[in-house]
């Protein structure tokens, strides 16, 4: 039987889900699943049992998301910083993750898992990738932008999360999706992750719905500002071209429009070529990693 799809919503859960779905719904939710160790201490069980209950709660939460029509979930499973824990706990987590995530992979579910991850490492890696593109002649230095950095992140194939939820009462992001959540609804809930309920998820979605208009406006303003800045850079580049050719900078408007269009088209061509090369580079790295681990 499917691990994610086991069990059905109760009558009241279905009733509440139908009401919530009448409002704007998140397409992507990110979770910082915090509180497994505190749960184990509270219940006087081994830490490994706390982590095991946390993985089971993830499967249950994915079922709730499926019932609510939420298309994508991203979870912070293991930070690079977590390797500083005791060897026995880290080894136990690795074994548990191997078992549970192998089972989740069989579900063909909509889950992104951030493992041995920090956002600072992700962002610095994206910067290195763009620098590599310039060194290889795939990009011009002027092609480097926030928009391109966004496309170099590990999450480039996913929309940014609409909601980021952290459990256990901690009010911090712990180096998780710092770039991607700049316009997300941040929800901090006191419940420990293994004790998370359908109603906690509904509460987070209601917070998102109450702030939806403000969040969407902030995203739209940011997108328009990025477009405006790119247009200003392009106009400055066209002006420089015309002056170098001995033509008046504010001359024929049609000529300026034509130059702007060509400049934009060439940049897009370079960026697409770079992104294709980057995908191949990452695929080769993963293939090498898989070979080295066997």
């Amino acid at each position: 039987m499917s691990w994610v799809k086991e069990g059905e919503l109760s009558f009241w859960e279905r009733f509440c889900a139908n009401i919530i779905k009448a409002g704007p719904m998140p397409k992507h939710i990110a979770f910082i699943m915090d509180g497994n160790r505190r749960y184990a201490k509270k219940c006087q069980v081994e830490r490994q049992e706390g982590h095991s209950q946390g993985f089971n709660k993830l499967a249950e939460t994915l079922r709730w998301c499926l019932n609510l029509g939420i298309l994508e979930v991203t979870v912070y499973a293991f930070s690079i910083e977590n390797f500083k824990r005791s060897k026995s706990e880290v080894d136990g987590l690795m074994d548990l993750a191997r078992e549970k995530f192998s089972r989740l992979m069989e579900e063909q579910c909509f889950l992104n898992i951030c493992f041995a991850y920090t956002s600072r490492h992700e962002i610095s890696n994206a910067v290195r990738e763009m620098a590599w593109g310039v060194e290889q002649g795939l990009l011009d230095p002027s092609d480097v932008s926030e928009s391109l950095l966004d496309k170099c992140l590990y999450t480039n194939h996913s929309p940014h999360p609409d909601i980021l939820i952290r459990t256990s009462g901690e009010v911090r992001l712990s180096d998780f999706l710092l770039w991607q959540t700049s316009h997300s609804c941040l929800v901090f809930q006191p419940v420990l992750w293994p004790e998370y309920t359908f109603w906690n998820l509904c509460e987070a979605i209601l917070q998102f719905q109450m702030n939806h208009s403000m969040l969407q406006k902030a995203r739209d303003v940011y997108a328009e500002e990025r477009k405006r800045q790119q247009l200003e850079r392009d106009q400055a580049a066209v002006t420089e071209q015309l002056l170098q050719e001995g033509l008046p900078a504010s001359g024929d408007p049609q000529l300026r429009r034509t130059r702007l269009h060509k400049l934009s088209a060439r940049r897009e061509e370079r960026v697409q070529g770079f992104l294709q090369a980057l995908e191949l580079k990452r695929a080769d790295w993963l293939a090498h990693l898989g070979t080295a681990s066997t």
Side-chain angles (χ1 to χ4, degrees):
M1 185 179 290
S2 168
W3 190 29
V4 170
K5 296 181 182 178
E6 285 177 6
E8 296 292 335
L9 294 180
S10 69
F11 169 79
W12 288 112
E13 287 172 341
R14 289 198 306 274
F15 180 76
C16 182
N18 288 332
I19 293 174
I20 285 178
K21 285 193 282 186
M25 288 295 292
K27 297 179 177 63
H28 182 186
I29 296 182
F31 290 94
I32 299 177
M33 307 179 295
D34 196 13
N36 292 345
R37 296 201 294 178
R38 274 171 278 179
Y39 171 82
K41 184 176 181 180
K42 175 183 172 182
C43 297
Q44 297 182 329
V45 297
E46 294 293 326
R47 285 180 178 177
Q48 188 75 353
E49 177 60 22
H51 292 306
S52 181
Q53 290 299 319
F55 277 107
N56 291 338
K57 182 58 63 177
L58 171 58
E60 190 175 13
T61 303
L62 289 173
R63 175 168 59 84
W64 299 332
C65 290
L66 196 63
N67 276 280
L68 288 165
I70 295 161
L71 303 178
E72 192 162 355
V73 172
T74 297
V75 296
Y76 203 4
F78 200 81
S79 164
I80 291 174
E81 297 298 315
N82 290 151
F83 283 106
K84 296 176 182 177
R85 295 179 181 179
S86 69
K87 185 178 185 302
S88 60
E89 184 176 1
V90 171
D91 288 346
L93 269 169
M94 294 298 112
D95 292 340
L96 191 62
R98 207 171 286 117
E99 173 197 343
K100 300 293 186 179
F101 288 141
S102 295
R103 191 172 175 187
L104 277 174
M105 286 172 68
E106 296 171 4
E107 302 282 347
Q108 297 181 341
C109 59
F110 43 96
L111 178 65
N112 304 312
I113 303 163
C114 295
F115 206 88
Y117 166 93
T118 68
S119 189
R120 285 175 295 177
H121 180 271
E122 178 185 26
I123 294 169
S124 61
N125 182 70
V127 172
R128 284 194 297 270
E129 299 289 25
M130 290 189 294
W132 171 80
V134 173
E135 289 171 2
Q136 296 296 312
L138 299 169
L139 295 172
D140 286 347
S142 61
D143 297 332
V144 174
S145 65
E146 288 185 34
S147 177
L148 181 57
L149 190 149
D150 202 46
K151 294 171 183 174
C152 293
L153 297 174
Y154 303 141
T155 57
N156 66 87
H157 294 299
S158 298
H160 290 180
D162 298 295
I163 310 175
L164 185 145
I165 298 170
R166 179 168 189 153
T167 57
S168 86
E170 295 289 340
V171 186
R172 52 195 172 89
L173 297 181
S174 294
D175 214 351
F176 180 54
L177 300 181
L178 301 180
W179 182 279
Q180 297 89 332
T181 57
S182 58
H183 296 105
S184 302
C185 180
L186 306 181
V187 180
F188 301 97
Q189 297 176 302
V191 61
L192 301 177
W193 174 248
E195 297 175 328
Y196 202 70
T197 68
F198 176 78
W199 305 110
N200 295 129
L201 179 59
C202 289
E203 177 198 8
I205 294 172
L206 285 171
Q207 286 194 42
F208 164 76
Q209 291 178 337
M210 287 188 292
N211 292 282
H212 179 262
S213 296
M214 181 183 65
L215 290 167
Q216 190 58 52
K217 182 179 179 180
R219 287 181 176 181
D220 291 344
V221 168
Y222 175 64
E224 286 301 316
E225 179 62 16
R226 286 212 308 200
K227 287 180 184 177
R228 186 191 65 78
Q229 291 176 356
Q230 185 62 64
L231 180 58
E232 284 185 354
R233 289 194 294 269
D234 287 352
Q235 287 175 334
V238 167
T239 296
E240 186 178 349
Q241 285 178 5
L242 292 172
L243 290 174
Q244 287 176 351
E245 295 171 15
L247 298 172
S250 57
D252 183 359
Q254 181 60 41
L255 176 61
R256 285 189 66 88
R257 283 195 294 270
T258 301
R259 293 290 182 92
L260 278 170
H261 177 73
K262 287 182 178 179
L263 186 72
S264 177
R266 287 170 182 164
R267 180 179 60 250
E268 184 61 24
E269 185 179 349
R270 288 193 301 272
V271 166
Q272 290 306 314
F274 160 69
L275 293 174
Q276 290 173 10
L278 182 58
E279 286 288 329
L280 290 173
K281 178 172 176 267
R282 288 177 172 176
D284 288 344
W285 180 82
L286 286 172
H288 176 74
L289 187 67
T291 303
S293 63
T294 56

